[in-house]
Amino acid sequence: MISQIFILSSKGDHLIYKDFRGEAGKDVVTVFYEKVTALTGDQPPVVMSHKELHFVHIRQGGLYWVATTTADSSPFTIVEFLNRLTTLIKDYCGSLSEKSVRMNFALIYELLDEVVDNGYIQTTSTDILKNFIQTEAVTSKPFSLFDLSNVGLFGAETQQSKVAPSAAANRPIMSSRGEQGGKSEIFVDVVERMSVVIGSNGVLMKVDVEGEIRVKCYMPSCLEMRIGLNEEFSIGKSQLRGYGAAVRVDECSFHQAVKLDEFDQHRILKVCPSQGEHVVMQYLLSDELPSAPPFRLFPTIERDNGGRLLMYLKLRCDLPPKSSAINVSVTVPVPKGSLSLSQELSSPDQKAELRPQTRAVHWDIPRFPGGAQLSALFKLEVPGLSSASMMEVGPVGLSFELPKYTCTGLQIRFLRLTPIQPGSSQRWVRYVTHSDSYTIRI
Amino acid sequence: MPYFGGEEPVKELRRALANPNVQGDHLRYRNTVLKVIRVMSQGVDVAGLFSEMVKACATVDVVQKKLVYVFLCSYASLNPELSLLVINTLRKDCQDPNPMVRSLALRNMTNLRLPSLTEYVEQPLMAGLRDRAACVRRVAVLGWAKLHSLQPHADTDAVVVNELYGMLRDSDPVVMVNCLRALEEILKEEGGVAVNRAIAHHLLNRLKECDVWGQCEVLRVLQRYRPQTEDELFDILSLLDPSLLSPNVPVMAATLSLFLSLCCLAMPAVSLAALERAQGPLLAACGSASQEMKFTALCHVQLLLRSLPGLMGEHYKRFFCGYAEPAYIKQRKMQVLVELVNDDNVGFVLDELKGYCTDVSADTAQAAISAIGRIGRSYSDRCLEILTGLLGLKQEHITSVVVQTMRDLVWVCPQCSDSVCEALEGCEDMLLDCQGRQALLWLLGVHGDRISGAPYVLEAFVEQVRSEMAAAVKTELLTAATRVFLCRPAETQDTLGRLLHYCIEEEMDMCVRDQALLYYRLLHCGIEETRWVLQGRRSDPSLGVLIGRPAEPVSQWARSFNTLEPLRQWGAGSGSPPQGAPYHLDPKPSVDLRDPLNPRQDGEETLTGEVELEPLHGGHKERLQVSSALHRSSPPQLQAALQLANIQTMAFTPPHTLPWRVYLYTHTRWESPSPAGGDTHTLVLGELLYTGAPEDKEPREDRPRGGGEPRGGGEPRGGGEPRGGESEEGGVKVTVKQQPRDDEAVKGFLLVLSDALHTFSSESC
């Protein structure tokens, strides 16, 4: 049972406040903000209490999404609901930010009204909601030169760009027909998050890949979609199929709307996508990877005669040559009290800086092609450098994005809509792997 | 707000709303209403526009209607009379051919929360229950619950209740679930909706039609149903079994919760099997992309581990921290890791934890170090090696935590003391904070004979005592110096003298001064007396027994599963409270309170303890049937015995004196069953009083019919009699005071106390 729902900006501005049961006043919003900002770093913020009220909140899009509730309600349900609410609002408003929430407050009030009644969750399905929601989303389109690149010489749209721009899926699901936004499109995203620990001897100590297939549908009418996965796809350890590169995952679960009658034979998922974003399939691979981990680090760390700390880092990207990693950021914790950094990087587009507040050297590489090897030399001025403080160097953390690449090797063979859509329906398949946590010990 | 033209946006808006030109153009009208709502959600008081908004309500534009309703529902309670005007429009809307308009009107009619409007609302609500459109029925059903909460004392209408029970068979699953919810509220005083066999089976059969939220609700209601036969129970369990593996975590949690409530008492084996089955989805939730979901799952994993300690041993890698995770998740993960350690993975886990010790966040680093310390209770050698290595880092915050961890480790594992004593050399310069220095001083005092440099470190401390701010450190220093003096008098005499002189002559803090005076007088009495008072135990290996903690029965925590309870226990599990006792020592105080005769806790605490004695309420008197031979036992033995039960002793009268008294206290954490209570901490103070045998003294009314056995210096009676406690009608009176009042805790305390005393007297006799 949910008593109130409110959305606060990170500065504590009231964006949305809805009271469902009249059990507490509006002043609890302020109470919540005071409580949440007073927490120290190690206190868990998710559940807080004030008298008889309990706040459960999540952070998404830089906002606080708070529900007040009673002590015996299920935290799983409430947290899941708040998460679902954020995706709903993202579906309807196009993106999730303080600005979009501010602009679409009427729409959000309308949504909340239909989603929760008297504190009970009624429905969160876009199929049902679309009959009720009348307000149209207000979007702000930032002017960008990038958009112009799609416009051809005489204003006609060129067909040269076959790749959907990354912002294409950030629009509201309900926009008035006829506009450019009304295109019937469907996006199928394979998103994987890897968390890896590589030991100081280069041995892979832990690998977890959590992946999901997300369908974001802008089609107004519901139809059946067939998603074909690799035929070699297998679940669990024992099922070894033939030879060749099997795509294996340990665990796999599907959205309840997915029909699996052709899955065992042909690895085909059948689903009737409803508007908005849904996770169709989730899977998990742990303890082994079909290919080498994407990054290896060869560090040399020593003290020079002048009492400076020398770090020579060689970073190799073991992706296939046609893939590449983008937005690679390497974080090397350095001893406390490090003063200044001098650097030698291999190309001018890379950046490195010493950030005293995180006590680490950050090395940013905007683009890192597969098979390449980059190196960097850092010299740090550390007063009172001792052999013990060398222990403080590391472990190195990497964050990166691998577009058009899945580390499990999961591919979508085909995407078929039945019946065939008349007119221009566009289907997009996108792959991306994120680093959830990629740690290399030194 | 310049956008609205000046300082009075409300006036401006009123003018716009009243403007017939605006009213004529429905887009302009809608936009003006929208502006009102925007101003309202920014926190401006727009109650003055109520009558204009009521007019704006009568429109065909559904979007505008919805906006006006948002406004009306917020301000209706301030304008009950004007709200009456709205009712007409709403009632008209209830007849609208469009079901969406009907449901909207019905919902907002009940959302106005005005008791005066009830009579107008009842009729449309009744009609709503029989509406053709499911969306109207959904709203109408909950509408009755809202009406009931407006007038909680009004008699519940039997017709409505019957109607709602009948609508459990509605074709729309949301209507069915809403009926359950409404009945739960309306019949709250009778204990909620009655789930009989027919209803339960009906609900189970239709479970699949509901969405995630509906399933959770149904499963929660079903917890109240008790199957009549075992066959029926197993049918239900096997029907629900697939939901245990549901990828929807809320459904999985609700199912598991139902499993536990159905069979945690009668069939513990089944519930354990259910836990094992549910670990997959729970583990998956621990790796969820949402941090909050991760946290919720981790807290519940901790619950599961209480009953199945080795459950996720092979999945320990799933609890390794990601470097970008927030500190509170990292700490929970470390707490889980500590529980999962076994012979196979201890190396990997320690390796991983070692990596966290140099984390940028000091909180995370400290949590990692204490986690290593906890693992050290079972794998002391490896952990000590790591801890010693960390001292080499020469970082203030790390050194401080390492020393504290070592202190705790030594207390439990005496075999570590040699390596700890070696490691301590030279770390005194790195300790800047109060806790770290206290820990070091305690170690120096207790193991002064083995740390060669102890007197010299103390000397350095004494030289800086003038600049020392914390009274706690000073009292610790006093104790440590006196203790080291006992074992190495030649090297310490001068230091101790200077310290005592300073503390007695110049110190401003009363506690410190008193303690110094106490030691001074003790030393006057003689070395042996001082030794007797100050040299307590150096370790308490009995705590070590509690490390391989026994599996708790599931019923201990089943009730709090899938509630907010597990998420609110900050750092629960880190202290490993001894299980089985009805209360647990709070993990934090257990560090400070364990050796009360040789107070390692600072003087302030002792003082507040005494001050609090007066305002304590909830006095409680009880007679315990304990052997009166108790008063002849030696204090240290009794103290040790009580400590096993986590009861600390503050003072004794010497043995064989009458009246014989013991003062005790304990700090309990009692998981209160009431939803509001959560954890309650309560301090219990107790006095054991034995006034002597009836022939020695005037019988008091609190004494039972005198046993008439010789007391007061007589021979211990019935030495070999094991059931001595029963027969001896002992007149040991217990007076208990506590704050805050908590009868359960007192009951538990008395139970444990009498158990401990029984055990002790039967052993010592």
Side-chain angles (χ1 to χ4, degrees):
Chain A
M1 202 184 336
I2 294 164
S3 187
Q4 294 153 315
I5 286 183
F6 44 92
I7 305 175
L8 296 183
S9 75
S10 52
K11 295 192 295 293
D13 303 334
H14 303 195
L15 301 181
I16 298 286
Y17 167 83
K18 181 125 182 110
D19 182 10
F20 294 104
R21 298 181 59 86
E23 288 167 340
K26 203 168 177 172
D27 48 325
V28 296
V29 182
T30 327
V31 173
F32 167 79
Y33 190 70
E34 277 166 10
K35 271 186 175 284
V36 83
T37 43
L39 289 180
T40 58
D42 58 332
Q43 287 171 335
V46 181
V47 173
M48 290 180 300
S49 312
H50 171 68
K51 294 179 190 157
E52 295 288 291
L53 274 184
H54 301 271
F55 301 103
V56 180
H57 87 277
I58 63 166
R59 301 268 335 237
Q60 285 271 328
L63 305 171
Y64 294 101
W65 305 72
V66 195
T68 60
T69 171
T70 47
D72 61 341
S73 40
S74 155
F76 289 107
T77 310
I78 304 221
V79 170
E80 179 78 16
F81 168 71
L82 289 173
N83 279 327
R84 179 75 196 128
L85 185 68
T86 56
T87 29
L88 261 183
I89 289 178
K90 191 169 161 221
D91 283 346
Y92 274 93
C93 304
S95 63
L96 209 59
S97 66
E98 186 177 335
K99 196 174 172 198
S100 68
V101 169
R102 267 186 203 279
M103 284 198 301
N104 291 296
F105 69 96
L107 175 62
I108 295 173
Y109 275 125
E110 195 180 357
L111 265 175
L112 279 176
D113 215 29
E114 298 294 344
V115 168
V116 183
D117 191 11
N118 200 25
Y120 300 108
I121 306 164
Q122 300 291 300
T123 180
T124 50
S125 137
T126 40
D127 282 338
I128 301 175
L129 286 172
K130 73 178 172 200
N131 303 319
F132 295 97
I133 302 302
Q134 307 274 328
T135 315
E136 265 179 28
V138 189
T139 48
S140 66
K141 287 206 187 84
F143 175 77
S144 119
L145 283 173
F146 184 72
D147 292 339
L148 292 179
S149 64
N150 282 342
V151 180
L153 191 54
F154 300 104
E157 204 166 310
T158 53
Q159 287 300 307
Q160 50 177 260
S161 145
K162 273 291 179 194
V163 181
S166 62
N170 292 342
R171 59 187 169 93
I173 51 171
M174 294 211 328
S175 45
S176 45
R177 317 280 174 267
E179 240 185 84
Q180 179 263 342
K183 265 192 305 196
S184 64
E185 281 182 307
I186 194 154
F187 294 86
V188 177
D189 296 343
V190 183
V191 184
E192 295 188 346
R193 296 181 290 133
M194 46 182 346
S195 63
V196 172
V197 178
I198 299 176
S200 48
N201 48 0
V203 176
L204 207 52
M205 302 187 63
K206 171 202 164 175
V207 191
D208 273 334
V209 181
E210 283 158 357
E212 55 190 33
I213 300 183
R214 281 188 217 151
V215 174
K216 181 144 190 178
C217 173
Y218 289 102
M219 309 248 175
S221 58
C222 176
L223 27 82
E224 192 180 70
M225 181 170 65
R226 287 149 55 91
I227 305 173
L229 308 181
N230 320 37
E231 295 223 43
E232 310 82 35
F233 185 79
S234 68
I235 302 168
K237 289 204 171 19
S238 57
Q239 266 181 296
L240 286 172
R241 287 180 152 213
Y243 53 90
V247 177
R248 194 186 66 79
V249 298
D250 285 322
E251 284 163 36
C252 186
S253 64
F254 303 93
H255 190 270
Q256 53 193 8
V258 178
K259 287 197 252 0
L260 295 171
D261 45 340
E262 286 186 67
F263 184 72
D264 281 341
Q265 282 291 316
H266 304 293
R267 298 302 183 203
I268 292 172
L269 307 175
K270 286 202 285 191
V271 62
C272 295
S274 44
Q275 282 189 324
E277 189 174 303
H278 295 276
V279 176
V280 175
M281 172 177 144
Q282 286 175 298
Y283 54 92
L284 176 90
L285 172 69
S286 45
D287 292 344
E288 56 178 292
L289 277 179
S291 52
F295 290 100
R296 297 279 299 276
L297 181 74
F298 304 94
T300 316
I301 292 171
E302 55 195 27
R303 271 194 294 176
D304 75 352
N305 303 328
R308 281 184 306 180
L309 182 67
L310 293 185
M311 295 197 295
Y312 182 65
L313 305 180
K314 223 171 5 165
L315 188 63
R316 200 173 75 206
C317 177
D318 285 332
L319 291 173
K322 52 183 190 293
S323 316
S324 64
I326 56 170
N327 299 333
V328 183
S329 161
V330 185
T331 311
V332 192
V334 292
K336 202 174 182 179
S338 302
L339 282 181
S340 62
L341 171 76
S342 69
Q343 44 182 295
E344 284 170 36
L345 303 173
S346 51
S347 80
D349 56 344
Q350 301 170 23
K351 267 193 324 212
E353 58 171 335
L354 173 71
R355 289 191 204 148
Q357 70 271 26
T358 53
R359 223 187 65 208
V361 172
H362 292 257
W363 174 23
D364 293 326
I365 307 155
R367 189 175 177 81
F368 201 158
Q373 181 164 307
L374 294 179
S375 54
L377 178 64
F378 298 113
K379 290 181 188 159
L380 281 154
E381 206 72 57
V382 188
L385 185 72
S386 66
S387 56
S389 46
M390 306 285 279
M391 273 172 70
E392 286 185 76
V393 181
V396 177
L398 260 75
S399 74
F400 51 83
E401 209 174 299
L402 311 176
K404 291 178 270 177
Y405 181 81
T406 54
C407 33
T408 52
L410 183 83
Q411 299 282 327
I412 290 182
R413 271 185 302 147
F414 59 81
L415 201 64
R416 203 168 292 148
L417 296 167
T418 42
I420 307 290
Q421 277 282 350
S424 64
S425 69
Q426 283 172 323
R427 292 160 292 163
W428 303 103
V429 178
R430 305 184 292 186
Y431 301 97
V432 68
T433 299
H434 293 287
S435 62
D436 196 23
S437 164
Y438 197 98
T439 310
I440 304 174
R441 301 234 185 90
I442 293 185
Chain B
M1 229 161 286
Y3 181 68
F4 295 111
E7 298 153 311
E8 291 170 319
V10 178
K11 234 175 217 172
E12 197 87 349
L13 283 169
R14 175 178 299 136
R15 212 172 305 139
L17 283 172
N19 185 344
N21 289 332
V22 173
Q23 289 180 354
D25 179 353
H26 82 258
L27 261 185
R28 269 179 81 187
Y29 205 13
R30 185 204 283 184
N31 278 335
T32 319
V33 173
L34 194 66
K35 272 179 207 160
V36 176
I37 308 295
R38 171 171 293 144
V39 176
M40 184 183 100
S41 56
Q42 282 162 355
V44 179
D45 182 19
V46 283
L49 297 172
F50 199 84
S51 55
E52 282 79 12
M53 291 299 270
V54 169
K55 274 182 217 141
C57 178
T59 169
V60 286
D61 181 8
V62 182
V63 177
Q64 182 174 336
K65 246 185 217 304
K66 288 189 175 181
L67 289 173
V68 175
Y69 289 152
V70 171
F71 175 90
L72 292 181
C73 292
S74 322
Y75 287 107
S77 48
L78 301 176
N79 291 294
E81 294 85 25
L82 280 172
S83 308
L84 241 117
L85 299 175
V86 196
I87 278 291
N88 266 331
T89 324
L90 286 169
R91 282 179 64 127
K92 206 161 72 211
D93 279 353
C94 287
Q95 316 287 333
D96 198 278
N98 183 351
M100 197 171 74
V101 175
R102 290 202 300 272
S103 68
L104 188 65
L106 212 52
R107 181 166 53 224
N108 287 292
M109 206 184 263
T110 44
N111 274 351
L112 291 176
R113 296 201 196 104
L114 289 174
S116 55
L117 298 182
T118 319
E119 48 182 319
Y120 306 100
V121 178
E122 277 181 353
Q123 189 265 329
L125 267 187
M126 207 46 157
L129 287 183
R130 306 208 176 88
D131 202 285
R132 272 172 296 114
C135 64
V136 183
R137 292 199 303 271
R138 293 175 187 170
V139 172
V141 168
L142 284 183
W144 284 108
K146 293 183 208 166
L147 270 199
H148 179 79
S149 68
L150 273 184
Q151 297 168 306
H153 304 298
D155 288 337
T156 40
D157 193 347
V159 182
V160 175
V161 172
N162 276 339
E163 188 84 7
L164 289 177
Y165 268 118
M167 283 178 76
L168 285 176
R169 306 206 170 270
D170 196 283
S171 56
D172 183 77
V174 181
V175 174
M176 176 185 84
V177 178
N178 278 356
C179 279
L180 281 180
R181 292 160 165 164
L183 284 170
E184 282 281 281
E185 277 193 37
I186 295 173
L187 303 175
K188 197 172 180 185
E189 279 170 19
E190 298 162 34
V193 55
V195 191
N196 59 23
R197 194 185 150 103
I199 292 180
H201 287 205
H202 171 71
L203 291 176
L204 281 168
N205 286 331
R206 295 198 51 188
L207 197 60
K208 284 278 163 291
E209 296 169 34
C210 303
D211 64 353
V212 179
W213 322 111
Q215 288 187 22
C216 296
E217 199 78 41
V218 171
L219 289 168
R220 201 174 60 83
V221 170
L222 281 175
Q223 286 190 21
R224 272 214 305 278
Y225 177 63
R226 291 278 158 252
Q228 275 120 19
T229 64
E230 203 152 277
D231 285 345
E232 191 191 352
L233 174 64
F234 280 110
D235 281 348
I236 295 177
L237 294 187
S238 51
L239 187 72
L240 291 176
D241 192 59
S243 307
L244 270 187
L245 299 176
S246 164
N248 284 311
V249 202
V251 175
M252 181 279 293
T255 316
L256 187 55
S257 199
L258 176 62
F259 262 72
L260 296 183
S261 82
L262 283 178
C263 45
C264 85
L265 286 176
M267 294 179 288
V270 178
S271 46
L272 288 185
L275 295 186
E276 268 175 47
R277 264 180 89 66
Q279 64 162 317
L282 205 53
L283 267 177
C286 288
S288 156
S290 148
Q291 303 290 358
E292 291 81 10
M293 186 51 93
K294 229 188 246 183
F295 176 71
T296 314
L298 283 172
C299 294
H300 282 85
V301 165
Q302 286 185 307
L303 272 189
L304 253 65
L305 289 177
R306 280 166 63 175
S307 286
L308 290 168
L311 181 62
M312 299 180 185
E314 74 259 41
H315 299 295
Y316 64 96
K317 283 185 184 170
R318 304 284 281 276
F319 298 99
F320 283 3
C321 304
Y323 71 94
E325 279 172 336
Y328 67 94
I329 299 244
K330 287 187 181 171
Q331 296 192 0
R332 287 281 163 164
K333 284 194 166 175
M334 286 185 229
Q335 288 170 10
V336 173
L337 274 178
V338 169
E339 304 279 324
L340 295 185
V341 164
N342 58 32
D343 289 348
D344 299 329
N345 60 25
V346 60
F348 299 103
V349 172
L350 283 177
D351 220 28
E352 183 71 16
L353 285 173
K354 194 171 133 192
Y356 307 151
C357 292
T358 48
D359 198 282
V360 185
S361 148
D363 290 329
T364 308
Q366 293 181 0
I369 295 168
S370 2
I372 294 178
R374 297 250 300 125
I375 297 176
R377 297 183 187 184
S378 334
Y379 300 92
S380 46
D381 293 345
R382 297 183 196 214
C383 295
L384 270 177
E385 199 179 305
I386 297 178
L387 291 175
T388 319
L390 288 172
L391 285 177
L393 283 178
K394 305 262 178 224
Q395 294 288 318
E396 291 93 6
H397 68 283
I398 294 180
T399 310
S400 162
V401 186
V402 169
V403 173
Q404 291 174 57
T405 308
M406 284 179 162
R407 171 195 66 186
D408 295 349
L409 194 59
V410 164
W411 181 256
V412 181
C413 309
Q415 71 273 17
C416 308
S417 49
D418 283 333
S419 4
V420 168
C421 293
E422 251 171 65
L424 282 178
E425 303 279 348
C427 66
E428 64 275 2
D429 299 333
M430 298 312 301
L431 289 169
L432 295 183
D433 67 326
C434 169
Q435 264 113 21
R437 276 184 297 180
Q438 270 178 276
L440 177 68
L441 284 172
W442 186 82
L443 282 167
L444 288 176
V446 173
H447 298 285
D449 48 343
R450 281 190 257 173
I451 305 172
S452 57
Y456 310 104
V457 177
L458 285 176
E459 191 171 1
F461 268 99
V462 169
E463 268 159 26
Q464 292 157 14
V465 75
R466 269 167 227 278
S467 53
E468 178 62 62
M469 299 305 289
V473 175
K474 289 187 210 169
T475 49
E476 195 67 66
L477 179 59
L478 272 168
T479 316
T482 322
R483 278 183 181 155
V484 175
F485 171 71
L486 291 176
C487 56
R488 300 163 77 168
E491 291 157 293
T492 328
Q493 189 176 16
D494 178 49
T495 316
L496 180 63
R498 272 187 292 148
L499 179 65
L500 285 176
H501 184 267
Y502 167 78
C503 288
I504 293 171
E505 297 293 328
E506 294 177 47
E507 177 58 44
M508 302 301 284
D509 190 294
M510 272 335 241
C511 293
V512 179
R513 193 165 169 269
D514 273 359
Q515 192 158 358
L517 278 171
L518 172 73
Y519 290 153
Y520 179 72
R521 286 172 191 147
L522 260 178
L523 289 167
H524 258 290
C525 291
I527 286 297
E528 274 319 301
E529 279 78 3
T530 318
R531 181 160 296 163
W532 197 74
V533 168
L534 272 181
Q535 237 147 29
R537 287 188 305 163
R538 294 174 160 191
S539 63
D540 187 357
S542 66
L543 282 177
V545 181
L546 303 168
I547 297 162
R549 62 158 103 155
E552 251 180 281
V554 180
S555 52
Q556 287 263 340
W557 51 265
R559 223 177 12 181
S560 65
F561 185 83
N562 202 17
T563 67
L564 301 185
E565 195 66 36
L567 279 78
R568 291 192 305 139
Q569 290 162 0
W570 288 2
S574 61
S576 163
Q579 308 295 327
Y583 50 82
H584 314 306
L585 252 180
D586 200 35
K588 271 263 163 8
S590 76
V591 175
D592 293 335
L593 302 183
R594 54 170 79 113
D595 200 0
L597 266 194
N598 320 324
R600 273 183 35 217
Q601 76 262 46
D602 50 313
E604 260 164 353
E605 263 180 48
T606 329
L607 191 67
T608 44
E610 280 163 19
V611 170
E612 262 179 346
L613 207 62
E614 296 311 320
L616 286 184
H617 52 81
H620 194 296
K621 290 194 179 185
E622 189 94 355
R623 230 169 11 251
L624 285 186
Q625 301 294 309
V626 189
S627 161
S628 54
L630 213 54
H631 81 281
R632 289 185 293 267
S633 58
S634 78
Q637 278 172 5
L638 181 60
Q639 186 189 358
L642 288 175
Q643 258 177 6
L644 284 181
N646 270 327
I647 297 171
Q648 313 294 342
T649 35
M650 290 189 289
F652 294 91
T653 40
H656 304 291
T657 46
L658 283 174
W660 179 79
R661 280 198 176 92
V662 181
Y663 291 97
L664 324 152
Y665 75 94
T666 192
H667 200 90
T668 71
R669 194 187 72 206
W670 177 255
E671 283 165 35
S672 132
S674 76
D679 271 10
T680 49
H681 295 261
T682 167
L683 177 73
V684 180
L685 295 177
E687 180 196 34
L688 291 183
L689 174 68
Y690 173 64
T691 44
E695 54 266 42
D696 302 346
K697 281 211 157 196
E698 196 62 27
R700 292 164 58 146
E701 82 279 15
D702 55 80
R703 298 270 318 281
R705 330 159 289 279
E709 82 267 2
R711 288 197 185 88
E715 281 299 305
R717 180 194 161 268
E721 201 174 297
R723 54 179 210 294
E726 302 302 319
S727 60
E728 264 184 327
E729 306 289 47
V732 178
K733 193 178 75 175
V734 183
T735 313
V736 178
K737 292 181 174 183
Q738 66 165 163
Q739 179 169 356
R741 191 183 174 86
D742 184 349
D743 289 338
E744 289 295 311
V746 169
K747 251 182 252 162
F749 170 75
L750 288 173
L751 209 71
V752 171
L753 179 65
S754 63
D755 267 4
L757 292 180
H758 269 297
T759 324
F760 175 70
S761 54
S762 61
E763 272 172 10
S764 64
C765 280

